[in-house]
């Protein structure tokens, strides 16, 4: 299957000059991580001399050094070099999923003109690290492709209801927020024709700078410390969960000092790591990726939904085998805060959400009976009504 990658190019120009400098930020990032110019050269498949010449050219263009070499301490980035690297990581985290969506659209448009016609599974899913791992594995399987588009929780379910995708990727929080989120999901599901496929659980919470200098340990601390907070976009399922948490703790959204909005877990983490914000909310994997401290607030279940008939197709059988395989489970275990949760197990909508309600009742005994009855009534009512298509 044809794979397309779209990557940004950092081209710097000076006003009134035709000269331009194309900076390979991957080289600078490798120096930052390893402190070795030789490692950066190997990573870029270039000679040591060529890499050093490039760095000298870039420094001359900017009129400021990008690296420092100290005897016995290797090579380090200057503050200016560090700023460039962090800007690049923010851009990659912000645009990565959007560029993947654009690349997938282009691949879908040109596919009819090619002789290759592999089986393709159309996936509309909320962005997540486990889904990215699954896509990487699917891309390595000959004859089986994936058309993955990152969309919000609700939009993925709308796509499934309108037959615009084969699989919808959804995440739901455990605990006191679960009931209202189950109701929102059921608005777009047909319990008679839809099936749920278990995948993973993931830890969600606050991400703060290493060492937690503001001593933020709760949502209340965000307000009390006047922390600069970078939030997710309004359409994001994670943003919705964060707003629900604020309401649960009787915190006015206006009291949170929001400075910026970003589109992915990695993007908000990179924003904090580059010292442009003090805190954000998202998955633990993103916090660890950027060396941030993490304060766990809740656990989410991430799962897929599809129509019952699609389960019988060969592409879906291949995907289920992949989910149940050791390779995928090992990949999930390498993601901080992620855990494989019976991946590939198929349930009816009624059984899946009823099981969710039961699990929440056993972990929160304060009002188990009320919650169990409420959720079961919601599921029963949805099963009787005409599906929203």
């Amino acid at each position: 299957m044809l794979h397309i990658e779209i990557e940004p190019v950092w081209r710097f120009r000076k006003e009134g000059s035709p000269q331009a400098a194309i900076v390979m930020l991957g080289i600078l990032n490798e120096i930052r991580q390893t402190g070795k110019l030789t490692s950066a050269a190997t990573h870029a498949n270039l000679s040591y001399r060529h890499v050093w010449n490039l760095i000298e050219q870039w420094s001359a263009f900017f009129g400021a050094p990008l690296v420092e070499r100290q005897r016995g301490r290797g090579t380090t980035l200057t503050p200016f070099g560090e700023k460039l690297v962090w800007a690049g990581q923010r851009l990659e985290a912000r645009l990565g999923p959007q560029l993947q969506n654009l690349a997938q659209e282009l691949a879908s448009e040109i596919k009819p003109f090619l002789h290759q016609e592999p089986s393709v599974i159309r996936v509309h899913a909320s962005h997540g690290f486990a889904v990215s791992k699954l896509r990487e594995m699917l891309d390595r399987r000959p004859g089986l492709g994936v058309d993955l588009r990152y969309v919000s929780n609700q939009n993925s379910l709308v796509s499934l209801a309108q037959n615009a995708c084969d699989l919808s990727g959804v995440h739901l929080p455990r605990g006191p927020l679960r009931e209202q989120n189950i109701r929102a999901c059921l608005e777009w599901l047909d319990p008679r024709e839809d099936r749920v496929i278990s995948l993973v659980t993931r830890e969600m919470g606050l991400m703060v700078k290493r060492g937690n200098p503001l001593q933020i340990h709760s949502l209340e601390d965000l307000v009390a410390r006047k922390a600069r907070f970078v939030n997710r976009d309004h359409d994001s399922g994670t943003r919705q969960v964060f707003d629900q948490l604020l309401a649960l703790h009787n915190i006015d959204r206006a009291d949170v000092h929001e400075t910026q909005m970003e589109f992915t877990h990695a993007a908000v983490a990179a924003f904090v790591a580059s010292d442009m914000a003090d805190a954000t909310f998202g998955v633990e994997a993103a916090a660890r990726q950027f060396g941030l401290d993490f304060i766990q607030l809740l656990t989410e279940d991430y799962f897929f939904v599809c129509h019952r008939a699609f389960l019988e197709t060969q592409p879906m059988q291949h995907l289920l085998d992949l989910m149940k395989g050791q390779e995928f489970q090992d990949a999930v275990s390498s993601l901080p805060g992620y855990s494989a949760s019976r991946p590939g197990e198929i349930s009816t909508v009624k059984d899946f959400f009823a099981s969710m309600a039961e699990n929440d009742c056993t972990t929160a005994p304060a009002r188990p009976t009320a919650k169990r009855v409420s959720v079961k009534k919601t599921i029963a009512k949805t099963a009787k009504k005409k599906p929203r298509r």
Side-chain angles (χ1 to χ4, degrees):
M1 180 177 177
L2 177 70
H3 300 293
I4 299 175
E5 295 181 359
I6 303 176
E7 298 178 351
V9 175
W10 284 62
R11 181 178 287 109
F12 296 87
R13 293 186 183 274
K14 293 181 179 179
E15 186 176 357
S17 173
Q19 182 184 11
I22 298 178
V23 179
M24 299 168 63
L25 295 180
I27 289 177
L28 297 181
N29 187 44
E30 190 69 20
I31 293 173
R32 182 178 71 87
Q33 291 181 335
T34 66
K36 297 179 180 180
L37 203 64
T38 52
S39 178
T42 301
H43 187 264
N45 291 319
L46 299 172
S47 69
Y48 178 94
R49 181 180 294 275
H50 185 52
V51 168
W52 181 245
N53 286 338
L54 284 174
I55 292 174
E56 286 189 321
Q57 291 173 20
W58 299 335
S59 298
F61 177 85
F62 290 114
L66 293 173
V67 302
E68 296 175 332
R69 304 175 71 182
Q70 298 178 355
R71 180 171 301 189
R73 298 181 58 185
T75 305
T76 60
L77 297 184
T78 63
F80 175 58
E82 287 272 0
K83 184 61 68 175
L84 281 180
V85 168
W86 278 116
Q89 293 198 347
R90 289 201 310 275
L91 179 70
E92 181 180 351
R94 177 185 298 171
L95 297 182
Q98 298 177 59
L99 293 179
Q100 289 178 23
N101 283 351
L102 290 173
Q104 191 63 65
E105 289 176 13
L106 178 58
S108 298
E109 289 176 8
I110 66 177
K111 177 189 171 185
F113 299 93
L114 304 176
H115 296 296
Q116 301 175 339
E117 291 192 8
S119 300
V120 175
I121 299 177
R122 301 170 302 161
V123 182
H124 287 194
S126 175
H127 185 262
F129 286 74
V131 174
S132 295
K133 290 286 187 184
L134 198 59
R135 177 184 184 168
E136 292 173 11
M137 294 178 187
L138 281 172
D139 285 344
R140 294 197 297 267
R141 291 206 166 189
L144 179 61
V146 58
D147 180 348
L148 173 60
R149 313 291 176 93
Y150 288 121
V151 300
S152 69
N153 248 10
Q154 181 173 348
N155 285 339
S156 73
L157 290 172
V158 172
S159 295
L160 182 69
Q162 297 175 347
N163 294 313
C165 71
D166 303 310
L167 277 182
S168 167
V170 183
H171 57 93
L172 286 180
R174 294 182 177 183
L177 300 181
R178 171 147 290 183
E179 183 180 335
Q180 59 184 302
N181 285 280
I182 286 179
R183 287 199 302 267
C185 282
L186 290 174
E187 284 293 314
W188 293 100
L189 294 179
D190 181 350
R192 293 163 294 185
E193 296 299 328
D194 292 334
R195 294 294 181 266
V196 181
I197 305 166
S198 301
L199 192 67
V200 297
T201 64
R202 63 185 192 180
E203 300 305 319
M204 302 281 291
L206 295 174
M207 298 183 246
V208 298
K209 287 184 285 188
R210 182 177 296 175
N212 198 0
L214 294 183
Q215 292 299 298
I216 297 171
H217 301 287
S218 65
L219 294 173
E220 289 78 8
D221 290 340
L222 285 178
V223 177
R225 310 285 193 274
K226 295 182 171 56
R228 297 171 299 163
F229 188 81
V230 53
N231 212 338
R232 292 290 299 279
D233 59 290
H234 291 293
D235 199 33
S236 162
T238 295
R239 168 67 175 261
Q240 182 182 56
V241 169
F242 180 70
D243 287 345
Q244 292 170 354
L245 277 175
L246 292 179
L248 186 67
H249 288 257
N250 297 314
I251 298 175
D252 192 329
R253 284 186 297 178
D255 292 335
V256 177
H257 183 44
E258 183 178 317
T259 61
Q260 176 77 11
M261 285 192 302
E262 293 290 343
F263 291 91
T264 68
H265 293 282
V268 291
F271 217 80
V272 175
S274 59
D275 200 28
M276 299 184 69
D278 300 310
T280 188
F281 177 77
V283 296
E284 181 178 356
R288 304 308 179 195
Q289 178 183 347
F290 289 94
L292 302 175
D293 285 2
F294 179 77
I295 298 96
Q296 194 267 357
L297 295 181
L298 58 85
T299 301
E300 282 191 330
D301 288 284
Y302 196 113
F303 53 91
F304 286 123
V305 184
C306 72
H307 298 323
R308 180 179 58 178
F310 188 68
L311 291 172
E312 306 304 322
T313 65
Q314 188 175 24
M316 190 60 204
Q317 290 297 315
H318 286 315
L319 179 57
L320 289 172
D321 289 342
L322 183 59
M323 290 182 191
K324 296 174 182 177
Q326 193 61 45
E327 182 185 8
F328 176 67
Q329 296 189 39
D330 289 344
V332 170
S333 65
S334 71
L335 297 171
Y338 274 79
S339 177
S341 178
R342 306 183 308 280
E345 182 175 293
I346 301 168
S347 307
T348 64
V349 170
K350 180 179 179 181
D351 288 346
F352 183 80
F353 287 115
S355 175
M356 279 188 165
E358 292 287 347
N359 290 337
D360 275 352
C361 289
T362 59
T363 57
R367 51 188 182 98
T369 304
K371 180 177 290 187
R372 183 183 297 114
V373 171
S374 178
V375 174
K376 284 190 173 182
K377 281 185 176 180
T378 301
I379 296 171
K381 288 179 181 179
T382 306
K384 293 178 183 179
K385 74 177 183 180
K386 183 180 179 180
R388 190 173 181 179
R389 292 285 191 233

